[in-house]
Structure formats: C-alpha cells, structure tokens
Amino acid sequence: LLRDPLAAEFLRRGWLQRKLETGRGYRVTSTKPKVLVTVRGVPFKIPSETAAEDKAKGRRWHLKQDDAAVDSELALLGTTLHQLSGPVANPFYKSKKPITAYEGEPLLLVGRIDGPSWERCSEMIEEAIAVEKTGLWGMCYLDFARKSGPGYQLGDDWMETISRTNRELGIPSVIDRHRDTFVTNYPMTRAALYFGWYTPDRNGPFLNESFRLQKGSVAVHIHSFSATLLRDSERHWTGPLIAKGAAATVGNVWEPFLQLTHNLDVLHESLLAGHSFIEAAYMANPSLSWQGIAVGDPLYRPFAKHEGFESDDPDTEPFLHLREALATWGGDQETLIRKLRTTAAKKESGLLYEALGLMLREVNEPDQAAPFFESASKHYQASSDKLRQKLHLIDMARSAGRTQEAITKIQAELSSFSHLPEGKALAALLVILDPPAPPPVTPTAQNESE
C-alpha cells in the first residue's frame, strides 16, 4: 500500500530508473533522491503472515520471516527482485563514502521522524539543527551485557571498540561492565552518547522522572523488540529514549538477531567521521528488508564540527581540552596525565578530574584513578555529579572483588544523598551487593497438618 504508489510516483517524476531482467523482475539502476523520510502517522512495522507456522514446526523460520520494518522495505523501492521474507544484504553496509559519492547498488536511505508525541518529533529536528552548529560535546555511557554464551559476545565487542575509540579521542566514558545494567536513577549527567543492552524495557537512569539526555544526544539500547512500541514513552526502548531527549536512535521492530542488527561500533565510528545520522545508520546495518529503523533528523551530523572547533563556552571547554590533549600527547600517558592534571587544577574542573580517573581506570590503574575521582567530587557543584564519583569508587571496589568494602562505602553515603532522586542508585546497588533476606514463611493450615 505504501511501496507501489511511491514507486509509481518516483517513476513518473523520473526520480527512479530501472530495467526488466527477463524472468526475474525489475532491477533499479539509479535513484535521484538519496534520502526518504517517513513521519509519525506512517506505519512503521509489517506483521508476519508466515513465520509463526514455520516456527511452530521447527523449520528455519528466521530465514522466512516476512515481518519487517516499513522503512527497511522502502529502502529497496522500485526493485522486484527480492522476496519480502528474510533479510537482504545491505550494499551500503560499512561504506566509507557518503551517499552522494556512493557508486554501488542503488538504494534509498530511509529515516523516520517519529516518537511518543508530535511535540517531541518537532523538537528532534530543532535540536539537531541547533546542536549541529557547534557539534555534540559531552560524555558517553556504555552499559555492557556480560551475558554468557557466544551469541552475546558480539554486542560487548562493539562496546569495547566504542570504549577504545573514545579513549583515543578524549571522549570521557562511564562504563558498566557488570551483568546488571546501570542501577535505578544512576546520575547520568551530560549524556551525549549512550549505548547499552540488554533488558526489554527502560530501566536505570531512564526511570528517573527528572532525567533528560543531553540536547542532540545519540542513544541506543540493543533489544530484539526495542522499537516495536515506538510511540510508547514507557515500554521497550526506542520510544522512551526519544521521550528522554534523544535526538537520534536506532531500533528493531521485530526480532532481528544480533548479527543482523545495527553494529553500534560502526554507527559510532561513522558519526564521529562526520557522516549524517542516516548515512551512519545504514553504514552500520548489514541487512535490508528486515527489522531496523533509524529515528531522528536524517541529515543531522552531530560531530561534523569537531575538527578544529574552538569555543569559550564553559560547558564545552573541558571537552575541547580533552580532545586537544589526546591529539597532542595521546602516545605518552605520563605527559598526558600531567598536562591534564595541571589544566584541571587551573580550571578547577570536576569534569577534567573525572575524565582523568575514568581514563586511568580503563588502563587498569585504579589506585591512580581513585584520587582523581576524589578531586572531581570536591570540584563539582552538583550533588548528582558528586554522587557519581562515589559510585566510581564503589564500583572499583566491587570490580576488584572487595564486595564488603563496596557495601561499607554505600552505607556510609546513603544518608548524604538520600534527598536526591539519584540517591536511589545507592539503595539499588546495595540490594544487588547485599540482598535482603527473604521474608519468613507463614505456615498454612495445610503445612501444619503435614
């Protein structure tokens, strides 16, 4: 109902050229428009008509799935050479060239402006335009799955690559490598980038009613059905991330299987290289006619202004110092730490002190990292930022297997931060590390007679 009238209109306007291959169907030879945008109100998912029967009979049902994202099908507009069932290889996957210079098999990059409300859809566009003028500067939060089994390792490998890239570029990254996700109301301030997995519904910081991602942020949580309730601000992930301020995100409308969904490391790398959001989303996705969607202003380029950018904005300045320092002394850790420590002291910057602690922790030097987190706590003004430094110190004890030390640190800080919404993070972490005893069982009449 969408594809055929669109293809007919593209042909009428001369926007699409194709040729008939005998006995096979039409192959697209060129498309004039490169990007197609669907908006709130346009359906975004196609339910299955055949896969359930195959699954019930134990067949290789995932290869026959005809459920898919509308946008992923429209990327192949005009071609009749593929079946709706099963994925199709994306020829733009891992491309290094922008779509205007791409010379491979023609396709449309289909992006979507959608979400829980019309107001939020409008804001996503406005925020992308505003932030692009200066570039996206902020912190990155990475939440590993750490689940057992080879099927999960790929996602954590993506996270490791993102972590390494951020370290090389000076993007401060808070990393949770535990099986549990960031705890309830974790103080995730200045969150310009968020990549996490693997829970079915929003949790952690996203349960805090007052929490907002940074304007212009890119945020993704991997889950098989992350976008199946795209217009719901409470359930699953894509809708809630948009509601919490994400300007750009990707997700899945049905089960994609991890190896056929957006590669988060490629998405991250492509954005940092200055590509538009929609180019990065398609560079990261190995499959078309499948489950992935990209939500946000397709032309948004969050990192296009990073090279050579200068600013005296006090909120941006620490991130500029970090980028310049890594570019200058990245190969000499001793000099890098000394120079950044001097700048942090001169600027009285909690963020630079925290970045130094995070950097040293990632290269397995927790004893050197701890004093920087202490200094960061003294120089930050916001209580939520001070709390995050305490959580870093607690997590270092936990990660080193010193569980009782971590519990003692939590108990010492509970009253100091109980007035904050983010203070719930301490209580939630205490339950994980020191679970309360189960309530006593009250005997029933049946138990007593037995």
Side-chain angles (χ1 to χ4, degrees):
L1 296 176
L2 291 169
R3 178 195 60 192
D4 295 348
L6 270 175
E9 184 64 17
F10 270 52
L11 287 166
R12 187 186 72 80
R13 297 189 181 201
W15 289 353
L16 184 151
Q17 303 294 326
R18 63 183 185 178
K19 66 178 182 179
L20 182 63
E21 294 191 355
T22 305
R24 297 189 63 206
Y26 284 102
R27 177 182 297 279
V28 174
T29 56
S30 68
T31 56
K32 185 175 181 181
K34 303 301 180 185
V35 178
L36 179 68
V37 188
T38 53
V39 298
R40 194 173 194 271
V42 175
F44 61 91
K45 58 184 179 180
I46 306 166
S48 174
E49 293 182 350
T50 63
E53 179 184 351
D54 288 316
K55 185 176 182 181
K57 293 182 179 180
R59 299 171 183 161
R60 300 182 70 189
W61 61 277
H62 59 284
L63 299 179
K64 298 183 179 182
Q65 279 181 251
D66 58 355
D67 47 19
V70 167
D71 299 0
S72 191
E73 293 292 356
L74 293 181
L76 297 165
L77 188 71
T79 183
T80 60
L81 296 180
H82 80 286
Q83 300 292 323
L84 285 178
S85 58
V88 173
N90 174 13
F92 197 62
Y93 177 51
K94 292 189 176 180
S95 171
K96 300 296 184 183
K97 294 182 178 180
I99 191 62
T100 51
Y102 169 68
E103 298 174 346
E105 185 179 343
L107 79 160
L108 283 170
L109 306 186
V110 184
R112 178 171 286 268
I113 304 293
D114 212 328
S117 69
W118 282 104
E119 179 184 24
R120 188 67 202 119
C121 291
S122 179
E123 289 172 350
M124 281 193 290
I125 301 170
E126 293 166 358
E127 290 167 7
I129 293 170
V131 171
E132 190 175 287
K133 293 177 182 177
T134 58
L136 180 62
W137 301 92
M139 297 181 69
C140 177
Y141 291 82
L142 297 174
D143 202 340
F144 284 62
R146 282 293 184 260
K147 291 183 179 290
S148 59
Y152 291 97
Q153 186 59 47
L154 180 61
D156 279 350
D157 288 346
W158 295 341
M159 299 293 188
E160 288 290 3
T161 301
I162 294 170
S163 170
R164 185 167 56 252
T165 300
N166 286 350
R167 199 159 61 246
E168 292 169 354
L169 293 178
I171 299 174
S173 302
V174 178
I175 304 173
D176 187 325
R177 285 192 166 85
H178 304 291
R179 290 192 63 175
D180 44 274
T181 57
F182 280 113
V183 291
T184 301
N185 287 23
Y186 187 93
M188 193 181 277
T189 55
R190 298 175 184 82
L193 294 169
Y194 164 78
F195 299 104
W197 73 315
Y198 185 79
T199 57
D201 293 299
R202 69 179 181 119
N203 68 355
F206 304 97
L207 296 176
N208 184 350
E209 292 304 315
S210 61
F211 171 71
R212 294 283 290 183
L213 290 157
Q214 186 168 304
K215 185 183 292 186
S217 61
V218 179
V220 183
H221 189 96
I222 302 173
H223 190 268
S224 299
F225 305 98
S226 55
T228 196
L229 297 175
L230 173 57
R231 292 162 191 157
D232 191 320
S233 63
E234 304 291 329
R235 298 175 59 196
H236 295 337
W237 279 96
T238 307
L241 287 174
I242 294 167
K244 287 296 185 182
T249 185
V250 297
N252 307 296
V253 300
W254 305 111
E255 171 64 72
F257 304 98
L258 185 60
Q259 67 272 25
L260 293 179
T261 192
H262 295 89
N263 299 183
L264 297 191
D265 57 341
V266 179
L267 176 70
H268 178 255
E269 177 189 15
S270 300
L271 289 171
L272 289 173
H275 294 293
S276 68
F277 167 59
I278 196 60
E279 287 171 324
Y282 274 75
M283 290 169 174
N285 195 342
S287 56
L288 300 177
S289 185
W290 203 230
Q291 317 303 346
I293 60 172
V295 186
D297 186 334
L299 302 186
Y300 177 35
R301 299 172 69 205
F303 296 103
K305 293 288 179 68
H306 272 216
E307 280 303 325
F309 183 76
E310 297 181 3
S311 173
D312 55 5
D313 178 1
D315 290 332
T316 305
E317 192 178 31
F319 299 105
L320 293 174
H321 284 308
L322 285 166
R323 185 177 180 88
E324 182 180 356
L326 266 293
T328 307
W329 302 294
D332 181 354
Q333 180 175 303
E334 184 178 343
T335 302
L336 173 68
I337 299 300
R338 186 177 71 253
K339 295 285 188 180
L340 280 175
R341 182 176 58 224
T342 300
T343 304
K346 180 180 178 181
K347 300 289 184 179
E348 298 185 332
S349 172
L351 193 146
L352 285 177
Y353 277 122
E354 182 179 12
L356 279 163
L358 293 169
M359 195 181 303
L360 284 164
R361 188 180 177 191
E362 278 303 293
V363 293
N364 297 315
E365 296 186 16
D367 292 340
Q368 291 190 49
F372 287 118
F373 291 136
E374 296 285 6
S375 295
S377 183
K378 294 174 183 176
H379 286 85
Y380 269 126
Q381 298 300 310
S383 296
S384 57
D385 287 326
K386 293 178 182 292
L387 171 58
R388 190 170 59 257
Q389 310 318 303
K390 305 299 183 185
L391 289 168
H392 292 326
L393 294 168
I394 291 166
D395 193 61
M396 286 197 296
R398 178 190 182 187
S399 298
R402 303 192 304 272
T403 305
Q404 187 55 52
E405 179 186 333
I407 291 170
T408 301
K409 287 178 180 290
I410 293 171
Q411 292 169 334
E413 301 294 347
L414 277 171
S415 60
S416 301
F417 295 99
S418 60
H419 64 290
L420 295 178
E422 293 82 2
K424 289 183 178 180
L426 287 167
L429 188 55
L430 185 59
V431 170
I432 292 171
L433 298 184
D434 189 21
V441 177
T442 302
T444 63
Q446 181 179 357
N447 288 338
E448 289 174 350
S449 64
E450 290 174 352

